[in-house]
Amino acid sequence: MSGKHSERANGDNQSAGRIVIETPTKQDGAALWRIARDSQKLDLNSSYAYLLWCVDFAETSVVARVDGEIVGFVIGYRRPTDPDAVLVWQVAVDASQRGRGLAGTLLDELFGRLVETGVRYLDTTITPDNEASIRLFSSFAKRWNATLDRSRLFEEGDFPDAHEPEDLFRIGPLAGAARPQ
């Protein structure tokens, strides 16, 4: 998938340029870390982790650029115990681009590519009170005409720090599903 990209019209005249969606590179790691940090909502991983995501998991991740600057990303990985599933680790959109559907567009673009490589399921974990993420992934399932199953993956007591439980959302099968246009 290296080098693949697509372009979308940006729905806001104040945000010049077109949205370009492409595979991340090592040079993108710092920007991903900054967007996650600035969201003040996501669990922030180390800057090193974002560099690794952009190198080792580039084929299961995408970034969005406007005028050459990264404004959003989806990072994921193939699950070792279930290679036909990709677990979406994080979705983030810069504050300047929120409310325009970019997160959904990024998911659609990524999984449109991944279905071609045999991926049948999108997995993600969401805390029970994260209504925005629940809406995002529920909408993805609806657009793809796929089933969404939800189960508890981690309890509060599983974490060594103060962390809410995490529910596993499994969406699929995606193969043969009508990809949204």
Side-chain angles (χ1 to χ4, degrees):
M1 200 163 36
S2 182
K4 281 193 175 182
H5 75 273
S6 64
E7 294 188 25
R8 306 265 192 251
N10 194 338
D12 184 344
N13 292 334
Q14 294 176 346
S15 300
R18 298 184 62 77
I19 295 172
V20 177
I21 301 172
E22 57 192 8
T23 303
T25 66
K26 177 177 73 172
Q27 292 74 22
D28 298 330
L32 272 60
W33 179 83
R34 280 191 294 277
I35 291 171
R37 178 200 63 198
D38 293 350
S39 77
Q40 298 182 355
K41 295 182 193 248
L42 294 173
D43 286 340
L44 184 62
N45 300 286
S46 72
S47 58
Y48 176 67
Y50 290 95
L51 288 170
L52 285 174
W53 283 112
C54 290
V55 172
D56 291 344
F57 299 104
E59 296 299 317
T60 51
S61 302
V62 289
V63 296
R65 296 180 199 279
V66 172
D67 297 329
E69 298 294 320
I70 294 180
V71 296
F73 66 86
V74 174
I75 51 179
Y77 63 92
R78 281 196 191 244
R79 301 193 75 190
T81 57
D82 191 1
D84 67 344
V86 167
L87 186 126
V88 170
W89 178 260
Q90 240 173 13
V91 176
V93 174
D94 184 79
S96 70
Q97 299 296 317
R98 289 191 194 132
R100 297 185 176 105
L102 182 56
T105 299
L106 285 166
L107 286 171
D108 289 341
E109 179 68 26
L110 176 61
F111 280 86
R113 296 174 184 186
L114 293 174
V115 164
E116 295 173 10
T117 69
V119 170
R120 295 175 34 95
Y121 295 94
L122 179 161
D123 291 349
T124 195
T125 63
I126 304 173
T127 57
D129 68 343
N130 188 336
E131 294 176 19
S133 289
I134 292 169
R135 278 193 310 273
L136 172 65
F137 286 95
S138 296
S139 293
F140 176 87
K142 186 175 183 176
R143 283 192 311 277
W144 282 74
N145 194 29
T147 302
L148 186 154
D149 293 316
R150 180 178 181 175
S151 60
R152 179 64 42 95
L153 183 61
F154 297 117
E155 299 291 344
E156 283 182 58
D158 293 331
F159 294 95
D161 56 355
H163 196 293
E164 295 176 77
E166 292 274 352
D167 290 342
L168 175 67
F169 285 65
R170 172 162 264 217
I171 300 170
L174 300 174
R179 179 181 176 182
Q181 298 300 321

